[in-house]
Amino acid sequence: MRWPAIERFAEPYFNALNVMPRIALAPLFILWFGLGLGSKIAVGCSLTFFIVLSATVAGMRGVSQDHVTLCRTLGASAATTFFEVTLPGAVPVIFSGLRLGLIYALLGVVGTEIIASEKGLGQTLAYLGSTFDINGVMALLLVLALLGVGMVRFMSWAERRLLHWQ
């Protein structure tokens, strides 16, 4: 890590925030941001932030220190070392965190819509469940599964495009 003192200071706070059950904060986000898009974005971001942050930190730490040392020895600047060695080496791990975070965001948004929403797939799912429309619930769950698969495939495609050199 580039700044170990900052990391030692911030790590306990990030750990405390990470272990908090953030889906339980959905009613609070609804109160703060209303029933619209804002509360859904807040829940999705709160669920994915620490997943992506952890994956990014792990990816940065997993970069070969031999490559970083070689760059420093050859006189590369810190920015050049970051953009030419560290970031490209961390991209696969970052994308695995992004894929996982994307699924958690979908779950969080649908969960928030089930709790309280004016419209959306979660609200429709809650309505169908309350009217005991099992066929409708199963169809909507299939749509959500296909949506999730499509999002993961898109992220895999984007990763392949960014890592074309591997």
Side-chain angles (χ1 to χ4, degrees):
M1 212 48 206
R2 191 115 167 106
W3 299 291
I6 294 173
E7 182 183 8
R8 280 192 309 273
F9 173 76
E11 187 175 13
Y13 299 108
F14 280 130
N15 285 337
L17 289 171
N18 188 24
V19 298
M20 185 184 311
R22 288 176 301 281
I23 192 67
L25 296 175
L28 189 60
F29 288 138
I30 291 169
L31 287 173
W32 286 344
F33 300 110
L35 294 176
L37 189 60
S39 61
K40 297 169 194 171
I41 291 172
V43 169
C45 289
S46 73
L47 287 171
T48 60
F49 176 77
F50 292 103
I51 294 169
V52 175
L53 178 69
S54 298
T56 302
V57 169
M60 298 288 183
R61 286 183 180 159
V63 171
S64 171
Q65 289 304 309
D66 293 339
H67 293 148
V68 174
T69 304
L70 180 62
C71 284
R72 287 184 185 149
T73 303
L74 294 174
S77 68
T80 301
T81 302
F82 177 76
F83 285 110
E84 298 294 327
V85 175
T86 306
L87 189 59
V91 164
V93 180
I94 293 170
F95 263 91
S96 70
L98 285 172
R99 271 194 301 276
L100 184 61
L102 194 61
I103 295 304
Y104 273 86
L106 177 66
L107 294 172
V109 167
V110 171
T112 304
E113 289 177 348
I114 288 172
I115 293 170
S117 181
E118 296 172 340
K119 56 187 172 197
L121 293 177
Q123 193 274 335
T124 305
L125 188 64
Y127 172 76
L128 292 172
S130 68
T131 59
F132 301 104
D133 185 356
I134 301 303
N135 292 333
V137 169
M138 294 306 290
L140 194 50
L141 289 176
L142 178 66
V143 167
L144 287 170
L146 292 174
L147 182 64
V149 168
M151 290 182 342
V152 168
R153 292 197 65 171
F154 173 75
M155 288 298 289
S156 297
W157 172 82
E159 181 181 9
R160 282 193 309 276
R161 296 274 299 166
L162 284 174
L163 297 176
H164 60 84
W165 48 269
Q166 276 190 338

